[in-house]
């Protein structure tokens, strides 16, 4: 095997699977199912944002929905006012990134401990939830957009071809855009983690004092990672609003924040592929349970989470890579093939 | 004309509430020197070490490295000036491999092949060749101490501060560590905080003795060990008599 292929085998595998899904799913699935899968893809992007800052930066953000909701509302408000979705996508990423940078500056430069970072971020998303919930009055307008309080903002235009507001994307185009966005985010983060910045970020997670003793500014690394995570969550929020054409304050809710954490715990904290799988799996389970009356969906989800925490605390991805794959490979090696027997004979 | 000190403290004072941990310490270290800081428990060695490394800020007084005041600098800014620190407990990246630990240290100021060369040099120096892909957390205690020394050296420091570098090591490892420190001292000035006298004897040239937050005495190894005041401090006056 070529050394490049060997050292990038997992990346190539993910790329091949991604392209196969990108091309194959629209052909294989009916429109309604494709729409649901598009939502899972958007949630996978959201999961990646927390996977990066928690799994690799060690920053446990309990209120990650603040960035998701802000991106969603920023897109809704700006796309209705502007008419073209090109600039609103940028705004939907920039605003959460700025919020994360401002929040991160006060948290990391004040050397606030991990638990309090969790509490502060949770508080921020609760503030957003309550503030946006109480904007039902007619005076709460931004340009042409009435924020709508708990009723949210309806009739949000979907994405369009850049700088052409008349060329609105259909459901299938939307799936492609979301899949490409997911792959760009995934490969972008993988690349970042291979660079010096990413390696130092992982080192910050491992031992912040040692990183400082080596001359790196741990606070700055955490701040940048937190802002990148905020921007990616904002992108997910933007795609979510564009997908459904509607946004409400539930995007800021604690339930939304908790869901992202559950996706990561099920998929595997400290990996990128795991949280994507976790997001898709749990979202699919939630959607499936919602369409039946026999069992309460929350009871099933709670049981699943408990089962994972107790039985598979590392999550799906680490179990597959650390235990199932080596077991499978050893099983393959223990069955000598004709070729290997003939090679042994030659030696 | 005398050469200016590499690092010095001027009237250094540190209070923790009502307790005076460091009481007006004036200390200096010359280029190329190896200095051991000793003293009984509670003498103020570790507090003084933390003041030198910027982990805590002094109540008054200053720490100067090549004339630069370190008092208000952050730990990473002090490290960037060229001060390498090894803490008492092995402080490495337990979840990363030995190679990654060294790589991160070297990559702070080196690029390309120079990083690999620096990593290889430390792997060889500390006999970690068989463990380059092992997680640092899986190494034996002594090996982690050496890895941390390697991590410090990958940063090409101008001054190395070691806090109990042989703590928790076997006798064989201590002998090896002493030899390594003397070898490292050929290129780098070193300050060692230690309370193990046999280890101190094997590496010390000059010794500073702390007692009750102050410098009790300073001098050559033999001179210090034969000092009655030092014996009194370590053994208690009645026992020494």
């Amino acid at each position: 095997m070529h050394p490049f292929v060997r050292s990038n085998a997992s990346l190539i595998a993910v790329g091949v699977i991604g392209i196969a899904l990108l091309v194959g799913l629209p052909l294989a699935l009916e429109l309604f199912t494709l729409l649901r899968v598009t939502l899972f893809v958007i949630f996978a992007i959201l999961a990646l944002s927390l996977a990066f800052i928690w799994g690799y930066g060690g920053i446990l953000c309990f209120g990650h929905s603040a960035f998701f909701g802000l991106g969603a509302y920023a897109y809704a408000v700006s796309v209705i006012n502007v008419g073209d979705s090109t600039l609103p996508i940028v705004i939907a990423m920039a605003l959460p990134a700025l919020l994360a940078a401002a929040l991160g500056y006060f948290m990391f430069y004040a050397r606030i401990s991990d638990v309090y970072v969790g509490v502060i971020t949770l508080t921020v998303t609760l503030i957003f939830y309550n503030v946006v919930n109480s904007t039902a009055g007619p005076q709460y307008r931004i340009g042409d957009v009435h924020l709508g309080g708990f009723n949210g903002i309806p009739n949000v235009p979907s994405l369009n071809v850049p700088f052409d507001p008349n060329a609105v994307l259909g459901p299938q185009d939307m799936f492609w855009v979301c899949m490409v966005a997911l792959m760009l985010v995934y490969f972008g983060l993988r690349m970042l983690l291979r660079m010096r910045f990413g390696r130092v970020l992982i080192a910050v997670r491992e031992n912040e004092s040692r990183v400082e003793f080596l001359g790196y500014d741990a606070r700055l690394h955490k701040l940048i990672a937190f802002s990148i995570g905020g921007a990616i969550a904002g992108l997910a929020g933007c795609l979510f609003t564009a997908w459904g054409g509607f946004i409400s304050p539930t995007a800021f809710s604690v339930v939304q924040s908790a869901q992202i954490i559950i996706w990561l715990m099920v998929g595997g904290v400290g990996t990128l592929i795991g949280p994507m799988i976790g997001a898709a799996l749990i979202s699919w389970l939630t959607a499936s349970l919602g369409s039946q009356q026999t069992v309460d969906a929350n009871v099933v989800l709670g049981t699943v989470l408990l089962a994972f925490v107790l039985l598979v605390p590392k999550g799906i991805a680490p179990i597959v890579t650390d235990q199932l794959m080596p077991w499978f490979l050893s099983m393959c090696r223990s069955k000598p093939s004709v070729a290997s027997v003939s090679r042994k004979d030659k030696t | 004309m005398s050469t200016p000190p590499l690092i010095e403290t001027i009237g250094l004072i540190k209070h923790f509430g009502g307790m005076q941990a460091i009481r007006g310490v004036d200390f200096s270290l010359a280029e190329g020197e190896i200095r051991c800081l000793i003293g009984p428990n509670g003498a103020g060695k570790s507090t003084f070490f933390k003041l030198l490394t910027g982990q805590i800020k002094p109540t008054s007084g200053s720490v100067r490295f090549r004339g630069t005041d370190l008092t208000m600098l952050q730990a990473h800014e002090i490290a960037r000036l060229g001060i390498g620190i090894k803490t008492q407990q092995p402080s490495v990246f337990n979840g990363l491999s030995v190679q990654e630990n060294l790589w991160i240290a070297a990559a702070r100021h080196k690029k390309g092949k120079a990083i690999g060369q620096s990593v290889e040099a430390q792997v060889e120096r500390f006999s970690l060749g068989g463990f380059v892909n092992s997680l640092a957390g899986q190494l034996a205690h002594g090996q982690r101490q050496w890895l941390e020394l390697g991590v410090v050296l990958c940063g090409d420091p101008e001054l190395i501060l070691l806090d109990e570098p042989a703590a928790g090591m076997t006798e064989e490892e201590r002998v090896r560590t002493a030899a390594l420190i003397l070898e490292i001292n050929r290129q780098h000035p070193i300050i060692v905080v230690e309370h193990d006298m046999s280890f101190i004897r094997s590496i010390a040239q000059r010794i500073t003795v702390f007692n009750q937050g102050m410098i009790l005495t300073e001098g050559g190894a033999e001179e210090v060990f034969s000092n009655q005041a030092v014996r009194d401090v370590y053994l208690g006056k009645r026992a020494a008599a």
Side-chain angles (χ1 to χ4, degrees):
Chain A
M1 194 187 285
H2 193 278
F4 176 82
V5 176
R6 197 185 307 144
S7 59
N8 294 287
S10 65
L11 267 181
I12 293 167
V14 173
V16 169
I17 293 169
I19 291 168
L21 292 174
L22 183 75
V23 177
L25 286 181
L27 300 173
L29 301 176
E30 58 188 41
L31 188 62
F32 176 71
T33 316
L34 191 67
L35 274 169
R36 272 175 67 173
V37 172
T38 306
L39 183 62
F40 302 160
V41 173
I42 293 167
F43 285 160
I45 296 173
L46 182 56
L48 277 181
S49 67
L50 189 64
F52 178 61
I53 64 169
W54 182 21
Y56 291 91
I59 306 162
L60 177 50
C61 178
F62 273 127
H64 207 55
S65 58
F67 308 119
F68 175 72
L70 186 61
Y73 266 87
Y75 174 78
V77 169
S78 51
V79 77
I80 292 173
N81 278 302
V82 175
D84 173 10
S85 70
T86 316
L87 182 64
I89 296 173
V90 178
I91 294 171
M93 291 177 75
L95 270 183
L98 281 174
L99 172 70
L103 206 56
Y105 177 78
F106 289 110
M107 293 191 302
F108 305 137
Y109 280 73
R111 306 237 182 239
I112 286 172
S113 68
D114 295 346
V115 176
Y116 288 103
V117 167
V119 172
I120 289 170
T121 50
L122 182 65
T123 309
V124 167
T125 200
L126 280 171
I127 291 170
F128 268 108
Y129 180 70
N130 284 310
V131 168
V132 179
N133 239 330
S134 54
T135 56
Q139 69 274 30
Y140 296 107
R141 303 185 74 87
I142 300 176
D144 297 332
V145 184
H146 177 217
L147 291 179
F150 49 81
N151 290 318
I153 306 173
N155 302 323
V156 182
S158 184
L159 301 180
N160 56 258
V161 172
F163 308 108
D164 187 0
N166 296 321
V168 178
L169 302 186
Q172 192 165 319
D173 304 323
M174 193 65 195
F175 168 76
W176 282 329
V177 167
C178 292
M179 272 302 289
V180 169
L182 177 65
M183 287 168 73
L184 283 177
V185 169
Y186 175 80
F187 288 114
L189 290 179
R190 284 289 295 260
M191 204 169 72
L192 197 62
L193 289 167
R194 281 191 177 189
M195 291 160 64
R196 192 181 84 159
F197 170 82
R199 292 189 188 199
V200 175
L201 183 67
I202 296 168
V204 170
R205 178 194 69 190
E206 292 292 318
N207 189 337
E208 194 168 332
S209 308
R210 172 45 69 196
V211 167
E212 295 266 342
F213 290 154
L214 292 176
Y216 295 106
D217 190 347
R219 303 164 307 177
L220 183 65
H221 280 77
K222 285 165 82 171
L223 179 70
I224 294 171
F226 198 52
S227 305
I228 291 171
I232 297 169
L235 172 68
C238 156
L239 294 173
F240 178 77
T241 313
W243 169 84
F246 170 75
I247 190 66
S248 76
T250 50
F252 290 109
S253 68
V254 177
V255 174
Q256 182 66 54
S257 282
Q259 257 187 351
I260 312 169
I261 293 172
I262 293 169
W263 297 339
L264 261 70
M265 291 180 78
V266 169
V269 182
T271 68
L272 290 180
I273 200 81
M276 293 197 291
I277 295 168
L281 208 64
I282 296 292
S283 304
W284 169 79
L285 192 63
T286 311
S288 303
L289 290 168
S291 59
Q292 52 83 47
Q293 303 288 322
T294 320
V295 196
D296 185 76
N298 288 326
V299 172
V300 177
L301 284 175
T303 311
V304 168
L305 178 64
L306 268 178
F308 266 90
V309 169
L310 294 173
L311 304 174
V312 199
K314 286 184 173 177
I316 294 171
I319 287 292
V320 171
T321 53
D322 298 346
Q323 291 178 16
L324 292 181
M325 285 288 277
W327 174 79
F328 178 73
L329 289 173
S330 68
M331 288 294 283
C332 290
R333 282 195 200 105
S334 65
K335 291 178 187 170
S337 64
V338 176
S340 67
V341 169
S342 62
R343 268 202 302 276
K344 275 181 191 170
D345 288 344
K346 278 177 190 171
T347 55
Chain B
M1 197 176 80
S2 64
T3 53
L6 178 64
I7 191 165
E8 62 179 335
T9 68
I10 303 157
L12 202 62
I13 294 173
K14 179 65 185 176
H15 294 176
F16 292 109
M19 196 196 77
Q20 294 187 329
I22 296 292
R23 308 176 182 196
V25 170
D26 295 319
F27 169 90
S28 68
L29 181 90
E31 296 274 3
E33 199 180 332
I34 179 166
R35 179 79 62 88
C36 291
L37 309 183
I38 65 168
N41 285 338
K45 312 183 293 288
S46 292
T47 305
F48 183 70
F49 184 87
K50 286 178 179 166
L51 288 166
L52 289 183
T53 56
Q55 292 175 75
I56 54 175
K57 301 296 171 199
T59 306
S60 67
S62 65
V63 181
R64 292 179 179 276
F65 177 70
R66 292 195 193 286
T68 305
D69 191 353
L70 307 183
T71 316
M72 296 313 291
L73 298 183
Q74 298 289 328
H76 73 274
E77 293 169 324
I78 293 173
R80 281 181 190 181
L81 289 174
I83 299 180
I85 299 156
K86 192 213 158 300
T87 53
Q88 193 173 334
Q89 291 298 322
S91 174
V92 290
F93 308 117
N94 285 330
L96 304 184
S97 70
V98 166
Q99 193 169 30
E100 285 167 330
N101 269 270
L102 296 168
W103 189 95
I104 286 165
R108 224 281 296 153
H109 60 291
K110 290 190 174 93
K111 283 190 165 61
K113 284 183 181 170
I115 299 175
Q117 286 166 355
S118 185
V119 170
E120 276 174 31
Q122 300 316 324
V123 165
E124 196 175 328
R125 172 179 266 163
F126 294 101
S127 309
L128 294 167
F131 307 96
V132 281
N133 293 317
S134 304
L135 292 181
Q138 292 173 340
L139 297 180
H141 179 80
Q143 287 173 322
R144 276 199 296 157
Q145 295 270 44
W146 287 339
L147 173 61
E148 191 181 1
L149 266 175
V151 164
V152 171
L153 286 168
C154 269
D156 281 348
E158 292 178 44
L159 166 67
I160 299 176
L161 306 179
L162 306 175
D163 193 359
E164 299 195 19
M169 285 185 169
T170 62
E171 189 52 39
E172 195 183 327
E173 287 170 340
R174 296 164 85 83
V175 171
R176 174 93 202 279
T177 303
L180 283 165
I181 288 174
L182 290 174
E183 184 212 318
I184 293 164
N185 180 233
R186 286 186 210 138
Q187 288 150 5
H188 307 272
I190 303 176
I191 295 175
V192 183
V193 174
E194 187 58 76
H195 62 241
D196 183 313
M197 284 304 159
S198 62
F199 186 75
I200 294 284
R201 279 177 197 279
S202 61
I203 61 167
Q205 288 157 18
R206 277 182 70 79
I207 295 175
T208 299
V209 185
F210 275 79
N211 187 39
Q212 296 184 345
M214 294 184 291
I215 292 178
L216 177 69
T217 185
E218 231 169 33
E222 289 313 314
E223 179 192 343
V224 165
F225 288 131
S226 58
N227 186 316
Q228 190 57 45
V230 175
R231 288 172 169 226
D232 289 346
V233 162
Y234 264 91
L235 302 172
K237 272 191 178 174
R238 193 173 295 171

